Amino acid sequence: MTKEKIKVAILGGSGYTAIELIKILLRHPQAEIVAVTSRQDDHIADLHPSLLGRLDLRCEPFDADALKAKCVQVAFGCLPHGTSMEAIPPLLDREIRVVDLSADYRLRDAKIYQEWYKEPHLDAANLAHAVYGLPELIGDKIAGAKLIANPGCYPQTGILGLAPLVARGLIELTGIIIDSKSGVSGGGRSPKLAFHFPECNESVSAYSVGTHRHTPEIEQALSDVAGKPVSVIFTPHLIPMDRGILSTIYATPTRAVTESELHELYRSFYAGKPFVRVRTNPPATKDTVGTNFLDVCVKVVQGKVLVITAEDNLIRGASGVAVQNFNRMFGFDERMGLM
Ligand SMILES: NC(=O)c1ccc[n+]([C@@H]2O[C@H](COP(=O)([O-])OP(=O)(O)OC[C@H]3O[C@@H](n4cnc5c(N)ncnc54)[C@H](OP(=O)(O)O)[C@@H]3O)[C@@H](O)[C@H]2O)c1
């Protein structure tokens, strides 16, 4: 361990991913939170009372020079997409490394970003060197990265759920169905009608059918694994629970496969990857809540391959994997602060 802790800033301090990140970093032996930015001029514990007595910081407006003056070495961006790509260039210019939790740097092609996010990408220069931070698939590229595009919550359940099959050419690369359910915290803390208690409680609904913005992210990552184009039908659902994502994935095998063969494939593919747990029984979201684990189970039913994955959208889906990336960027054990 180094003597000096890494000085960290959190951008967008009042949100859900920010509070999770702060709580993880407070128990991380190599990180020191020196700044939290917000548009609200409040003590961080006024925004998140669970931090009372744990983090004595007043939020500050975003100012890259002020963060540099505090010797910030890495900033975690917990901002909405669009806002992130405005905040990040001045940080990189000042040699502050960034882990961006938004979607702004996940899609390599700015045209695809514009097509799905309905706004132009404003920072093509940094997009060109951003590293998609899914440690289980591209772990060796993270250490040298200045800008990590932290992967999306839903995408991780689809990508990690399918990567072993795609890597071995064991499934057809079109017509893959990813049926996902997410808790309401997936929509963030800012109030939105669909997430209002009487709207979503005691109800389950599909949304963004055929148009959800995580679709191209899943396809990009899986196409990288396959070395050829992969397309998926991704349908997200809102479930009346606080947190957690469960995805059930259906794929057509390219040859006859058995469950035990696929289970062994997953075990060997994820050997040495501490945060992917390969299970023989289908996982529940509750098994992963509050942890950085993504649980996966593979089954064969009537000749189709079914993969069921579960994670905590706010930890594995966002802040936990962000710290996993931070650990790899600075050469720490990737489990530090996360077990
Ligand atoms: N929620 C999830 O499960 C999840 C999972 C993976 C990735 N993500 C991504 O992570 C990012 C943060 O998500 P979240 O769930 O933490 O969202 P959130 O709870 O809504 O928090 C985002 C924070 O960003 C700040 N903000 C909002 N609009 C802004 C603007 N126009 N200019 C500057 N700051 C603004 C606000 O902080 P202040 O009011 O303090 O300024 C807000 O609290 C998003 O890009 C999201 O897509 C979320």
Side-chain angles (χ1 to χ4, degrees):
M1 280 201 238
T2 53
K3 278 193 195 147
E4 294 275 315
K5 293 184 178 184
I6 305 296
K7 291 189 169 32
V8 169
I10 315 281
L11 317 180
S14 65
Y16 284 155
T17 57
I19 177 64
E20 297 298 337
L21 201 39
I22 290 169
K23 287 194 287 191
I24 295 169
L25 292 173
L26 283 175
R27 62 171 189 261
H28 193 294
Q30 290 288 291
E32 179 187 4
I33 303 170
V34 297
V36 179
T37 76
S38 172
R39 296 163 302 170
Q40 302 172 57
D41 179 22
D42 278 316
H43 193 283
I44 189 65
D46 292 329
L47 299 174
H48 299 293
S50 64
L51 294 178
L52 263 173
R54 298 166 74 189
L55 181 62
D56 187 15
L57 273 183
R58 193 164 190 88
C59 293
E60 53 190 273
F62 175 76
D63 177 344
D65 285 324
L67 297 180
K68 189 67 187 170
K70 289 189 170 178
C71 301
V72 168
Q73 291 161 275
V74 59
F76 289 90
C78 299
L79 299 166
H81 70 269
T83 308
S84 246
M85 62 182 154
E86 290 178 1
I88 286 171
L91 295 172
L92 296 173
D93 289 347
R94 287 160 184 76
E95 295 184 345
I96 297 174
R97 296 169 86 181
V98 176
V99 180
D100 179 31
L101 277 70
S102 88
D104 278 349
Y105 295 91
R106 294 182 198 152
L107 298 173
R108 278 193 297 269
D109 186 337
K111 279 192 228 124
I112 295 180
Y113 181 92
Q114 178 153 7
E115 184 187 327
W116 288 82
Y117 287 83
K118 309 296 177 206
E119 52 192 76
H121 202 285
L122 305 175
D123 186 22
N126 288 314
L127 185 60
H129 66 79
V131 171
Y132 186 70
L134 192 44
E136 286 76 11
L137 295 188
I138 54 101
D140 54 340
K141 292 193 197 138
I142 294 170
K146 294 190 166 50
L147 170 57
I148 292 287
N150 212 52
C153 48
Y154 280 127
Q156 293 189 69
T157 66
I159 298 163
L160 293 175
L162 286 161
L165 299 168
V166 165
R168 294 288 173 87
L170 281 173
I171 54 168
E172 303 289 347
L173 300 182
T174 56
I176 301 167
I177 294 170
I178 306 176
D179 177 307
S180 298
K181 287 108 186 155
S182 174
V184 183
S185 61
R189 200 179 188 189
S190 314
K192 295 169 197 96
L193 182 61
F195 304 143
H196 191 48
F197 186 79
E199 304 287 330
C200 63
N201 187 42
E202 302 290 349
S203 184
V204 178
S205 54
Y207 63 100
S208 302
V209 176
T211 60
H212 195 280
R213 292 158 165 176
H214 285 163
T215 307
E217 181 182 338
I218 298 168
E219 291 180 342
Q220 174 181 278
L222 288 174
S223 300
D224 287 349
V225 174
K228 45 189 155 178
V230 175
S231 66
V232 300
I233 300 167
F234 165 58
T235 310
H237 300 76
L238 190 64
I239 289 268
M241 59 185 189
D242 287 350
R243 56 205 291 166
I245 292 179
L246 185 89
S247 291
T248 308
I249 304 167
Y250 303 81
T252 305
T254 49
R255 62 163 173 81
V257 286
T258 65
E259 217 160 88
S260 59
E261 173 195 1
L262 295 185
H263 181 74
E264 279 316 306
L265 164 68
Y266 275 65
R267 282 177 64 86
S268 66
F269 193 88
Y270 289 120
K273 314 285 189 230
F275 293 114
V276 177
R277 298 190 295 199
V278 179
R279 299 174 43 169
T280 50
N281 54 336
T285 54
K286 271 217 163 122
D287 306 339
T288 62
V289 163
T291 79
N292 194 47
F293 292 114
L294 183 139
D295 285 4
V296 58
C297 168
V298 61
K299 297 277 181 194
V300 178
V301 179
Q302 294 184 26
K304 296 271 183 194
V305 180
L306 267 67
V307 186
I308 300 126
T309 52
E311 66 169 22
D312 182 330
N313 57 297
L314 292 174
I315 307 281
R316 173 68 219 200
S319 305
V321 73
V323 173
Q324 200 181 339
N325 279 317
F326 163 81
N327 286 336
R328 283 178 170 262
M329 285 166 92
F330 289 91
F332 306 133
D333 185 314
E334 73 178 316
R335 294 166 296 184
M336 197 176 275
L338 291 168
M339 284 295 199

